[in-house]
């Protein structure tokens, strides 16, 4: 495929999406005349191709008129993109990819896909306070998504509908007992405190007695519950000619997820970037 094909592809995709030459020019950082030149037989500079592809949310191959159907290759390219990114920037990149996936599930996504997450973040930061939260959610008959975009916290959840909701959510799980345990304020405070503490440091029951202001008996109850949920495990060591029980905290991100979604139930989300409620069947069948 000749390189001149790029200009025709740009013109075709731009017109298909109803985008002005000026919009593309502003995104890429060139003049409107440059875009017009491309579409009339000119060729963009090579270093501009990734940004043009990003604008249309397509691969660079697509600019040459090549339709990518090798999804395994696409997934490999996505993984390579993440692996090639510095470690301290990977979560941000992956979150951007999650936002891309969220937008692709939206009806009329062609009208939304041209905007980057940076564009949305700028709008949110101007429109809502730093302690507010902006959401996106797609609810269809084959699954749902929930996304915290800005400002208070960021997360992405996608849940394809399970074959059996009983097997997925209920069988073998005693939810009333779980919520009863977490309604114990001392147990709850212990969970929060231990998640804030350096988990590599071992501790004894005396730490909970001191930090939470509870009795020795209550500390024993709390530790018993922590062990039941495999949040702590114990070892015994000899110290001062006595055998003492030492505990080690094992943190789980599921506790943080519990905080995120419990807060959504307590404070029902109101500010949505996108909300698609096309689901017609119950979540639990």
């Amino acid at each position: 495929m000749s390189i001149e094909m790029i200009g025709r592809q740009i013109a075709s995709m731009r017109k298909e999406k109803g985008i002005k030459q000026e919009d593309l020019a502003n995104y890429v950082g060139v003049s409107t005349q440059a875009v017009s030149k491309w579409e009339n037989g000119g060729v963009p500079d090579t270093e501009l191709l990734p940004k043009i592809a990003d604008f249309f949310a397509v691969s660079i191959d697509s600019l040459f008129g090549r339709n990518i159907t090798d999804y395994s290759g696409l997934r490999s390219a996505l993984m390579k993109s993440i692996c090639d990114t510095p470690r301290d920037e990977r979560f941000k990149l992956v979150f951007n990819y999650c936002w891309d996936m969220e937008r692709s599930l939206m009806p009329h996504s062609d009208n939304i896909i041209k905007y980057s997450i940076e564009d949305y973040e700028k709008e949110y930061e101007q429109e809502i306070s730093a302690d507010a939260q902006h959401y996106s959610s797609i609810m269809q008959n084959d699954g749902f998504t929930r996304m915290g975009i800005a400002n208070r916290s960021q997360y992405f959840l996608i849940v394809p509908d399970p074959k059996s909701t009983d097997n997925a959510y209920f069988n073998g799980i005693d939810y009333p007992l779980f919520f009863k345990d977490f309604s114990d304020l001392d147990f709850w405070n212990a969970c929060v405190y231990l998640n804030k503490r350096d988990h590599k440091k071992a501790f004894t029951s005396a730490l909970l007695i001191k930090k939470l202001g509870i009795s020795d008996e209550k500390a024993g109850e709390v530790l018993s519950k922590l062990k039941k949920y495999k949040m702590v495990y114990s070892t015994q060591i000899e110290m001062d000619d006595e055998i003492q029980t030492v505990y080690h905290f094992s943190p789980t991100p599921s506790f943080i997820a519990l905080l995120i979604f419990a807060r959504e139930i307590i404070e029902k989300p109101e500010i949505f970037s996108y909300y698609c409620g096309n689901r017609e069947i119950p979540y639990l069948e």
Side-chain angles (χ1 to χ4, degrees), residues 18 65 75 93 103 114 195 197 211 235 239 246 251 259 274:
R75 291 167 68 181
L93 176 65
R103 289 183 294 162
K114 64 180 180 179
N195 271 282
R197 184 175 179 271
K211 293 295 182 179
T235 56
M239 183 179 294
V246 175
L259 298 182
Y274 197 85

Side-chain angles (χ1 to χ4, degrees), residues 36-283:
S36 178
K37 183 178 178 181
W38 301 340
E39 296 184 358
N40 286 281
V43 178
D45 292 337
T46 304
E47 61 267 22
L48 296 178
L49 295 182
K51 199 157 190 179
I52 295 171
D54 288 346
F55 179 79
F56 291 109
V58 299
S59 67
I60 292 178
D61 278 354
S62 295
L63 298 180
F64 288 87
R66 297 178 60 193
N67 292 323
I68 302 297
T69 56
D70 179 8
Y71 296 109
S72 62
L74 183 61
R75 291 167 68 181
S76 296
L78 185 66
M79 291 180 65
K80 186 176 187 304
S81 169
I82 297 169
C83 292
D84 289 346
T85 301
R87 287 189 177 274
D88 60 348
E89 299 176 13
R90 288 181 185 176
F91 266 90
K92 181 64 175 178
L93 176 65
V94 171
F95 186 78
N96 287 350
Y97 286 153
C98 290
W99 176 236
D100 292 337
M101 289 187 287
E102 176 80 355
R103 289 183 294 162
S104 70
L105 290 170
M106 298 176 184
H108 314 298
S109 57
D110 285 350
N111 296 326
I112 302 170
I113 206 167
K114 64 180 180 179
Y115 296 105
S116 68
I117 191 166
E118 289 82 6
D119 295 327
Y120 280 99
E121 284 181 340
K122 289 176 183 177
E123 294 177 6
Y124 301 157
E125 290 170 359
Q126 293 172 358
E127 294 177 4
I128 64 176
S129 62
D131 62 346
Q133 181 66 43
H134 215 123
Y135 301 89
S136 180
S137 193
I138 312 294
M139 294 155 286
Q140 299 177 348
N141 286 340
D142 53 350
F144 67 91
T145 70
R146 196 68 152 191
M147 190 167 190
I149 305 169
N151 285 346
R152 190 177 60 232
S153 67
Q154 295 181 326
Y155 63 87
F156 180 67
L157 173 73
I158 181 167
V159 183
D161 271 13
K163 294 181 179 179
S164 166
T165 54
D166 281 343
N167 288 336
Y169 306 128
F170 296 110
N171 290 348
I173 303 297
D174 190 342
Y175 287 106
L177 178 59
F178 171 82
F179 287 112
K180 180 181 178 181
D181 285 340
F182 274 88
S183 68
D184 180 337
L185 184 59
D186 293 323
F187 176 66
W188 174 259
N189 288 337
C191 291
V192 173
Y193 170 69
L194 292 174
N195 271 282
K196 291 181 176 181
R197 184 175 179 271
D198 183 356
H199 70 274
K200 295 185 292 295
K201 296 166 61 176
F203 65 96
T204 66
S205 60
L207 180 70
L208 299 184
I209 294 171
K210 176 182 177 181
K211 293 295 182 179
L212 303 182
I214 58 179
S215 67
D216 181 73
E217 181 181 1
K218 186 63 179 183
E221 293 178 14
V222 168
L223 286 165
S224 177
K225 291 178 182 178
L226 288 168
K227 291 180 72 173
K228 178 173 69 173
Y229 293 110
K230 297 181 173 58
M231 294 184 188
V232 300
Y233 63 93
S234 62
T235 56
Q236 290 189 323
I237 61 172
E238 185 174 349
M239 183 179 294
D240 298 333
D241 297 328
E242 293 182 359
I243 300 298
Q244 295 197 32
T245 302
V246 175
Y247 298 93
H248 307 267
F249 181 59
S250 181
T252 170
S254 296
F255 182 74
I256 306 305
L258 176 66
L259 298 182
I260 290 172
F261 294 108
R263 182 164 190 165
E264 283 199 19
I265 294 174
I266 297 169
E267 299 177 356
K268 187 175 181 180
E270 295 180 352
I271 308 175
F272 282 86
S273 162
Y274 197 85
Y275 184 92
C276 177
N278 290 337
R279 190 177 181 98
E280 299 174 340
I281 62 176
Y283 287 106

